[in-house]
Amino acid sequence: MALAGLISLSTGLLGGCGGGEGPGPVSGQAAAGSREQAAAVTSNCPPLQATPVFQGAVPKPESVLGFALGSREVSSAESDRFLQAVDGSSARVVTGVAATSVEGRPLRYAIVGREANVSAMGLQRLQDAVRKLRDPATSAAEAAALAASTPAILWISANVHGNEESGTDAALRVLHELADRQDCDAARILDNSVVVILPIQNPDGREADTRRNAYGFDMNRDWFARTQPETDGKLELLRQYPPLLFIDAHEMGQKKYFFPPNADPVYHEVPDRALAWINGLYAPALAAEFRRQKIAFFTGATYDLYAAEYGDSVPTIGFHAAGMTFEKHNGDAIATRLREQYVAMWSSLSAAAAQRQRLLGEWRLSQLQARDQGQAGLLDPNIVQDDAKSLHQVVPALAVRHYFFPDDPLRRRELAQLVRRLQRMDVQVWRLSAPLQVPDYRPYGAAPRGVTLPAGSYWVPMAQRQKHWIQAMLHEDPYIPTSYSYDVSAWSNPLLLNVSGGSSGAVLSPQASLASAQAAPAWAAPAAPPRIGLLELPGTAGFESAGAMRYLFEKAWSLPYTFLTPDTLLAGLDGIDVLVVPDGSAKETLQKLGSRGQRALADWVRAGGRYVGYQRGAELAVGVGVSTAVLKASGTATSGALVRIRLDGSSPLAAGVATAGSSAATAWIMYDDDPEMTPGLGTAAATFPAPDTADFHVSGLKTGVEELAGSAAIADEAVGNGRCVVFSFDPNFRGWAEGTQRILWNAVLGSNPALASVAAATTPDAARQAAVQSAQRAAQALPDLGRPIRIVVRSSDADATRTLLQGHGAEFQESRRGGRTVFLIANRDGLSGEEHPFAHELAHELRQRVTPLAVRMP
């Protein structure tokens, strides 16, 4: 602490928590015994127990908003107005705009700290200090001095889900108090940190009172992909002000308050020190304060430190921060929600401030250790974190020192996307300037072999401080520590992008130079695109899936389209050449269309229209009789795995998919326990390989995937003069799956097959009608439970699982597949796992009694 900071705190201790502005970053001399001093200061001025003392220089919220915080939820505009009012009245605060939302709203943030630290010069000094602290080339002596003299950057973010509002209101209270208070409790935070507050991450969703943004994206699943402008701008601000602590405040359907420790699974590359801070510093501090204030709480939920897509996992893996999700029951009054969110935020800031120098020193060591692990080719081991009974997958003793990606003319756009994503998380990417012999090259999904990589290949060495992030993005297998996952179990970016590449554990000395910064790659615009219609099916899944297609058409592909609903579809499809039908409620759509609308849609296809549907969009195609694909519920337990499929190389759907130097046309799909499909009278344009073949490979949980062997992933069928292409999976999954977006592009814009499904085209009407009816009977047997929660257990555990479900009064369907039993729990409102009133409680109880094979929540 700076001398003035110590005087401030001492004055507070001796004279009732007074104090003034410190001169800036803390001095190394005064911080010599900072850990002991911090403990003493905390014991004499416990967080949240001092009487707040306000200077009165900053206007109270009610004078700006016209109401007191906690009397009702603030709007996005009101939050913005309050940030600007505080900025205008306090030298401790500066504000800015991190991004602009899809609908044009600003993502305003505030930075609050001592005046010297948040001035233009102070912020530049802070950024320079943090950059040096993280740089392995900085000497130990200089790093120690920086740890002693640099404020910690602590983040509070909220409202990434637009209908989870209270974190915003609590963050505004924290901002007001740090901007105006002068007591010892506030001084501890101000003297030791700079706090970045992003009160609203999803202003469009807040205004619409929806979880998702205007494109239907759940932006707490968008962190690594950065498809949405809100996410992208937020991450650029994080790079500018790298966090030591990152709080992501949410709301949920369960009662009580949640904070870490998290339940299993935890990703093996989560930095050890960050996990120790979460579990050993912040969690005990939060628990102690919640007990003192008699606030009910629970820990040990999967909110989620595994997949690198969240507001806790990405700051932790990508920045070595303590990333924490907080969840407050959404059924309480706003005053209660605000207060408990505020208590959690303030307690965390206080804990970090009291240990500032130690944490900064360990933060640097964490990044040095990552560099050293990469140099040695070491991967972090898996652990059992909470209530898992044993490890599902042990991280193998496999040296990984390098990743390589040969230049591929067919994949240049996807490869550029991969390089750009890495660079924009401060990963050093190099290009070989001479050929390189690699004795143990391990291509994705293939056996190791010796190769000579050509000049121009991209090289990503693991020996850098972003080693954990590199492995999280480029791995072939995530080595999940449990047999279940809250959301997806795989997210490898090379597989999602379907680029060729691989790893090596050899000690190599490549001739290479740093790759230049990669600009955002663009899709090549078609010369004469067809007239496209996009049909949004009813339900939450329909909103999300159609929203992802709207994003793809508008922002990625730059293609004009006509937006349709079942009601507008009844007016006809004049002027439409291709109809794209994503996921949603097929059964409700069939009811809305009625026999007249269904017949009109079928007639449009037979007259020459092209129908492209996926998931329940495929089910709708069967329902109206333009597809004879047979769909049945799967018994897999994958929880969002990446599964390789084999494409028919003669199909126009495979154009641009085959890798350079290979006649094989394969792609990795995000398989999410989707229905099993056989093509009926159509052609299987893509199939699932058998487990004993070279093309079979799964990244992530793969229980039951062998049952898909030989079934169709894509069916292509001639229908009169028209064509129907249906996918069993989502080729545009969350905007992540750019490898299969290429196949979708071909389906929408590509040519018809030269001999497309000749059998289907020449089948007698009676035989075709029989095939249609058979497919429709199978589709009618598919579960109709909304967006069900899926639990898969060993059949020996079925009785215990059933008893738990009955105890919660759940509506569910049960089916047995070999040695597995699949339970689908009705979720007709499309609630997420967080929003659901008992989903996480059920998952926790289940793990206490059995070892589930899969627990999949929307």
Side-chain angles (χ1 to χ4, degrees):
M1 283 178 201
L3 181 58
L6 284 172
I7 293 171
S8 167
L9 292 176
S10 298
T11 303
L13 295 174
L14 297 174
C17 294
E21 294 296 319
V26 295
S27 71
Q29 180 180 4
S34 65
R35 189 170 182 179
E36 292 77 10
Q37 291 169 345
V41 167
T42 302
S43 64
N44 286 281
C45 181
L48 294 160
Q49 296 186 47
T51 300
V53 178
F54 290 89
Q55 298 179 92
V58 178
K60 294 181 179 180
E62 50 266 37
S63 68
V64 177
L65 303 173
F67 59 91
L69 285 174
S71 60
R72 69 167 175 82
E73 295 157 351
V74 302
S75 67
S76 295
E78 288 165 344
S79 174
D80 291 348
R81 187 163 74 245
F82 185 66
L83 260 65
Q84 291 171 306
V86 175
D87 183 3
S89 60
S90 174
R92 296 180 185 175
V93 177
V94 295
T95 61
V97 175
T100 301
S101 72
V102 171
E103 293 183 338
R105 295 183 176 90
L107 266 71
R108 293 194 182 275
Y109 66 90
I111 303 177
V112 56
R114 291 299 186 194
E115 180 178 356
N117 292 336
V118 300
S119 66
M121 184 178 297
L123 288 176
Q124 185 60 59
R125 184 171 59 234
L126 175 63
Q127 290 174 309
D128 292 343
V130 168
R131 184 172 58 252
K132 290 180 180 179
L133 196 60
R134 301 175 77 201
D135 185 354
T138 302
S139 70
E142 184 178 7
L146 288 168
S149 62
T150 304
I153 301 176
L154 312 177
W155 272 68
I156 294 174
S157 65
N159 204 200
V160 71
H161 295 141
N163 59 352
E164 299 175 10
E165 298 93 345
S166 60
T168 298
D169 302 72
L172 296 182
R173 178 178 172 183
V174 171
L175 172 63
H176 175 252
E177 294 193 7
L178 289 178
D180 200 50
R181 280 173 62 174
Q182 55 183 354
D183 52 81
C184 59
D185 194 5
R188 175 171 47 247
I189 298 171
L190 291 165
D191 289 340
N192 288 281
S193 66
V194 166
V195 181
V196 182
I197 297 176
L198 183 60
I200 300 177
Q201 300 175 69
N202 183 3
D204 296 348
R206 189 179 186 92
E207 291 308 297
D209 194 28
T210 62
R211 175 182 177 87
R212 298 146 190 90
N213 79 338
Y215 273 134
F217 277 74
D218 183 330
M219 291 192 298
N220 205 34
R221 311 289 191 272
D222 188 50
W223 276 76
F224 77 76
R226 301 171 68 160
T227 67
Q228 301 304 287
E230 299 95 331
T231 314
D232 193 63
K234 172 175 58 184
L235 273 160
E236 286 304 289
L237 188 64
L238 274 161
R239 291 177 67 200
Q240 192 176 355
Y241 297 102
L244 188 69
L245 165 69
F246 189 93
I247 293 169
D248 195 19
H250 292 250
E251 292 180 358
M252 62 176 174
Q254 294 184 85
K255 296 182 179 179
K256 303 184 182 180
Y257 194 100
F258 168 81
F259 50 77
N262 296 78
D264 298 297
V266 171
Y267 185 53
H268 69 94
E269 289 292 333
V270 166
D272 294 341
R273 286 180 173 83
L275 188 60
W277 299 336
I278 293 168
N279 294 345
L281 172 63
Y282 296 109
L286 287 160
E289 185 59 31
F290 272 60
R291 288 190 184 103
R292 187 184 73 82
Q293 296 202 29
K294 296 181 173 56
I295 300 173
F297 69 92
F298 70 100
T299 63
T302 48
Y303 279 125
D304 168 285
L305 213 56
Y306 173 66
E309 55 176 328
Y310 295 105
D312 55 7
S313 54
V314 170
T316 305
I317 303 167
F319 294 93
H320 295 247
M324 295 191 294
T325 295
F326 293 163
E327 298 269 2
K328 169 59 191 163
H329 177 47
N330 55 20
D332 285 342
I334 181 58
T336 301
R337 286 181 281 143
L338 182 156
R339 181 177 70 86
E340 294 183 16
Q341 297 274 29
Y342 166 82
V343 169
M345 291 172 182
W346 195 273
S347 297
S348 302
L349 296 177
S350 296
Q355 299 287 327
R356 178 200 56 79
Q357 184 176 354
R358 176 178 73 87
L359 295 179
L360 285 174
E362 291 183 359
W363 192 49
R364 171 177 170 77
L365 291 176
S366 179
Q367 298 177 71
L368 291 179
Q369 181 184 39
R371 187 271 318 268
D372 293 344
Q373 285 180 347
Q375 184 76 41
L378 297 175
L379 301 181
D380 279 337
N382 264 335
I383 62 169
V384 172
Q385 164 79 5
D386 183 63
D387 55 4
K389 298 176 179 63
S390 62
L391 280 176
H392 174 67
Q393 219 173 350
V394 175
V395 177
L398 179 72
V400 182
R401 287 186 170 91
H402 322 270
Y403 282 95
F404 296 100
F405 300 94
D407 188 17
D408 183 346
L410 293 177
R411 294 284 190 283
R412 287 220 169 113
R413 199 207 66 79
E414 290 84 356
L415 189 53
Q417 179 73 288
L418 179 64
V419 171
R420 176 174 167 81
R421 281 186 185 165
L422 293 170
Q423 290 176 330
R424 297 180 80 220
M425 282 295 285
D426 303 303
V427 172
Q428 290 188 338
V429 180
W430 301 68
R431 296 199 79 170
L432 300 184
S433 53
L436 177 70
Q437 289 186 340
V438 181
D440 65 336
Y441 183 64
R442 295 184 291 261
Y444 290 110
R449 61 178 183 264
V451 299
T452 299
L453 295 172
S457 299
Y458 287 98
W459 167 45
V460 185
M462 292 282 273
Q464 46 184 305
R465 61 176 172 81
Q466 286 294 71
K467 173 258 181 180
H468 298 300
W469 186 253
I470 295 169
Q471 182 63 17
M473 291 297 98
L474 303 185
H475 64 265
E476 178 179 297
D477 197 303
Y479 307 120
I480 187 167
T482 63
S483 61
Y484 50 84
S485 171
Y486 166 51
D487 188 50
V488 298
S489 64
W491 62 92
S492 167
N493 274 226
L495 307 191
L496 284 166
L497 294 163
N498 203 30
V499 299
S500 57
S503 64
S504 166
V507 177
L508 302 170
S509 299
Q511 297 180 45
S513 58
L514 273 175
S516 58
Q518 177 63 57
W523 290 77
R531 296 168 298 178
I532 300 168
L534 172 62
L535 176 61
E536 179 179 314
L537 303 188
T540 300
F543 173 62
E544 285 188 343
S545 192
M549 277 307 307
R550 289 191 292 115
Y551 154 76
L552 192 62
F553 283 145
E554 295 173 14
K555 300 301 181 183
W557 289 0
S558 299
L559 287 177
Y561 68 95
T562 299
F563 182 76
L564 300 166
T565 66
D567 290 333
T568 58
L569 189 67
L570 287 170
L573 288 168
D574 291 342
I576 300 296
D577 302 313
V578 178
L579 180 66
V580 178
V581 187
D583 198 14
S585 175
K587 290 181 171 62
E588 186 176 346
T589 302
L590 289 169
Q591 291 173 353
K592 284 179 174 290
L593 291 178
S595 58
R596 181 177 65 86
Q598 294 176 36
R599 186 167 53 252
L601 178 53
D603 289 343
W604 172 82
V605 176
R606 283 192 288 267
R610 182 182 298 186
Y611 183 109
V612 178
Y614 52 87
Q615 294 180 301
R616 291 181 186 88
E619 184 183 336
L620 180 66
V622 171
V624 300
V626 298
S627 174
T628 57
V630 177
L631 302 166
K632 68 176 183 178
S634 67
T636 54
T638 66
S639 214
L642 285 161
V643 179
R644 190 157 57 183
I645 59 171
R646 178 188 293 139
L647 281 82
D648 178 352
S650 67
S651 169
L653 296 177
V657 177
T659 56
S662 171
S663 60
T666 60
W668 300 82
I669 71 166
M670 181 59 80
Y671 176 76
D672 203 18
D673 293 314
D674 300 303
E676 187 177 329
M677 182 170 74
T678 53
L681 296 177
T683 298
T687 55
F688 289 93
D692 57 353
T693 61
D695 285 337
F696 179 82
H697 199 83
V698 179
S699 177
L701 289 173
K702 57 184 178 182
T703 304
V705 174
E706 67 279 358
E707 295 179 1
L708 302 174
S711 67
I714 308 171
D716 194 350
E717 185 169 349
V719 184
N721 293 322
R723 180 183 178 198
C724 179
V725 181
V726 292
F727 300 72
S728 67
F729 63 96
D730 183 350
N732 185 35
F733 185 86
R734 296 180 182 171
W736 296 0
E738 297 188 37
T740 49
Q741 282 174 4
R742 172 65 61 186
I743 305 172
L744 183 60
W745 170 279
N746 292 337
V748 174
L749 302 172
S751 61
N752 287 321
L755 297 173
S757 192
V758 173
T762 59
T763 300
D765 288 346
R768 177 172 179 82
Q769 186 60 31
V772 167
Q773 290 174 351
S774 178
Q776 288 175 338
R777 283 193 298 271
Q780 287 166 2
L782 291 171
D784 187 19
L785 300 171
R787 302 189 71 189
I789 296 165
R790 183 185 182 93
I791 294 175
V792 185
V793 297
R794 294 174 180 86
S795 292
S796 58
D797 293 327
D799 290 344
T801 305
R802 190 182 310 110
T803 299
L804 278 175
L805 293 174
Q806 292 168 341
H808 283 280
E811 176 192 352
F812 62 91
Q813 291 182 9
E814 175 183 348
S815 62
R816 184 163 180 169
R817 300 293 291 266
R820 298 186 303 280
T821 300
V822 180
F823 292 89
L824 299 178
I825 300 135
N827 183 20
R828 301 188 192 283
D829 293 331
L831 299 177
S832 68
E834 297 99 303
E835 295 170 304
H836 198 276
F838 63 78
H840 278 283
E841 183 180 352
L842 171 66
H844 178 73
E845 292 171 350
L846 184 68
R847 293 193 301 267
Q848 294 293 312
R849 300 192 188 188
V850 305
T851 300
L853 298 175
V855 178
R856 182 68 167 92
M857 301 184 193

